[in-house]
Amino acid sequence: MRVLVTGSSGQLGKAVIEVFFKNDIDIYPISHTRLDITKRQAVEEIIRAYLPEVVINCSALTDVDLCEREKDRAYKVNALGPKNLAIVCEKYNIHLIHISTDYVFDGEKETPYIEFDKPNPINTYGKSKLEGEYFVESFSKSYSIVRTSWLYGDGDNFVKKIIERAKGEKILKVVDDQFGSPTYTYDLAMALLNIAKERAYGLYHCANKGVASRFEEAKFIVESLGLKVEVTPIKSNEYPTLAKRPKYTPLENYILELEGIFYARSWELAMEEFLRGKDV
Ligand SMILES: NC(=O)c1ccc[n+]([C@@H]2O[C@H](COP(=O)([O-])OP(=O)(O)OC[C@H]3O[C@@H](n4cnc5c(N)ncnc54)[C@H](OP(=O)(O)O)[C@@H]3O)[C@@H](O)[C@H]2O)c1
């Protein structure tokens, strides 16, 4: 199988390259410096040059507050980028796997979201990602849209921030009223391998199992690493951010499991494995 990955220098992109390479897939990493997905002609030139069987779009503008500040840029990368990929993939008969987010939901539910729940994003990042999903669905016949949640791996993420802050501060104040499913990029990449092999068509949720608040996630990180810092809970209104965050967006991998494509492990098990590799 020949697989081209856009945004290959991002944290998910790196994990996909590693997992697919280990599994003997012909993989073509295309970083942002080589391809800006907002440029239709450039997208077409790269795809025509490699003619892969599958494209995995790991590129996005993922800084939620930056998306709020620069709305046009958010829509350009997160909506028009996938539109370009969908149009070109369709032209060359290529299966497109597009990554989306738990932030397409408003967070007002009290149990994990499944694929049949109605999106209702409350910030520009979520809105632009949802438009990206709609473009992929309408311009491509052969696609998988894979929503994930609270990613961490080799890159900038919440886990890295907590470890860095723990080195310089005695007390870490972390919000305990935002809930998600922390997800290891490596686990998501394993699921994407199965999705790519099966050309699993349609919309999927894919996150590590379970629910955590940011406070619980931070406490788990600090305790697992034996860091000498106190973690105290605060409320979101004590930590104002430019973009509003949804309160509760854990994902249930409902269709992935119903179709027998992938069974994720718990977020705690995945996080423990990730932290074992950390030298702090
Ligand atoms: N991070 C999370 O917590 C999270 C949660 C749910 C869903 N997701 C989704 O998961 C996917 C992967 O996220 P991630 O955490 O791996 O993000 P990431 O580490 O920020 O990587 C995104 C990559 O996209 C590249 N990029 C930005 N604009 C681009 C453009 N116009 N053309 C081509 N590439 C561009 C970035 O390059 P530069 O760095 O050079 O700009 C970066 O390498 C995204 O679709 C994201 O929406 C992420």
Side-chain angles (χ1 to χ4, degrees):
M1 183 167 51
R2 295 160 57 82
V3 179
L4 184 145
V5 180
T6 61
S8 61
S9 303
Q11 57 174 351
L12 178 60
K14 285 187 216 158
V16 169
I17 301 304
E18 186 187 333
V19 165
F20 279 52
F21 182 74
K22 277 189 193 151
N23 282 274
D24 294 326
I25 306 289
D26 287 337
I27 186 98
Y28 307 109
I30 307 292
S31 68
H32 189 184
T33 42
R34 281 194 64 198
L35 174 68
D36 177 349
I37 59 164
T38 67
K39 308 256 187 308
R40 170 92 53 86
Q41 198 170 340
V43 169
E44 171 135 19
E45 277 164 18
I46 288 271
I47 286 181
R48 205 177 39 217
Y50 288 95
L51 285 183
E53 292 158 272
V54 175
V55 167
I56 304 182
N57 179 29
C58 295
S59 7
L61 199 64
T62 56
D63 182 326
V64 179
D65 292 318
L66 179 65
C67 286
E68 215 56 53
R69 254 195 322 274
E70 298 187 26
K71 290 191 167 66
D72 290 352
R73 189 168 158 205
Y75 281 104
K76 224 170 150 183
V77 179
N78 294 338
L80 301 184
K83 177 183 176 189
N84 289 336
L85 288 165
I87 290 169
V88 175
C89 284
E90 186 58 21
K91 179 168 171 188
Y92 292 97
N93 224 347
I94 294 164
H95 186 82
L96 174 61
I97 301 179
H98 173 63
I99 315 301
S100 191
T101 174
D102 53 336
Y103 276 20
V104 297
F105 295 113
D106 60 19
E108 294 302 322
K109 211 185 160 195
E110 286 168 0
T111 53
Y113 283 92
I114 64 169
E115 293 83 349
F116 303 132
D117 288 318
K118 207 168 164 291
N120 182 32
I122 61 167
N123 58 36
T124 303
Y125 170 68
K127 287 177 189 169
S128 62
K129 292 290 293 183
L130 184 60
E131 293 304 328
E133 290 188 8
Y134 292 154
F135 278 135
V136 169
E137 283 164 4
S138 43
F139 288 104
S140 153
K141 282 202 201 74
S142 184
Y143 70 85
S144 322
I145 292 171
V146 183
R147 292 184 186 140
T148 192
S149 158
W150 289 17
L151 275 186
Y152 63 88
D154 180 7
D156 279 331
N157 51 61
F158 180 79
V159 183
K160 188 174 167 189
K161 282 193 190 103
I162 290 296
I163 296 172
E164 276 168 6
R165 281 178 56 195
K167 286 180 187 158
E169 296 168 36
K170 287 206 174 71
I171 297 178
L172 293 187
K173 291 181 183 169
V174 185
V175 296
D176 71 349
D177 55 358
Q178 285 173 33
F179 297 84
S181 305
T183 300
Y184 187 14
T185 50
Y186 183 86
D187 290 32
L188 176 56
M190 293 294 289
L192 293 174
L193 181 65
N194 290 2
I195 288 170
K197 280 181 180 163
E198 297 195 19
R199 306 283 195 280
Y201 177 91
L203 175 64
Y204 294 94
H205 286 181
C206 186
N208 280 121
K209 269 191 185 301
V211 177
S213 68
R214 283 299 192 193
F215 167 72
E216 289 163 336
E217 189 184 5
K219 224 167 149 40
F220 189 91
I221 296 162
V222 162
E223 284 170 6
S224 303
L225 294 172
L227 300 172
K228 306 244 170 306
V229 67
E230 190 187 326
V231 187
T232 15
I234 56 164
K235 298 293 168 207
S236 296
N237 59 13
E238 297 171 67
Y239 185 77
T241 50
L242 190 60
K244 220 172 135 190
R245 265 62 170 177
K247 280 193 301 224
Y248 183 96
T249 54
L251 299 178
E252 183 179 337
N253 306 339
Y254 191 56
I255 299 187
L256 217 49
E257 292 192 3
L258 280 185
E259 292 184 349
I261 296 168
F262 188 76
Y263 298 91
R265 57 184 165 168
S266 73
W267 75 264
E268 292 96 332
L269 273 180
M271 180 77 79
E272 264 168 16
E273 183 181 298
F274 173 72
L275 294 174
R276 266 200 298 279
K278 286 265 149 222
D279 190 16
V280 286

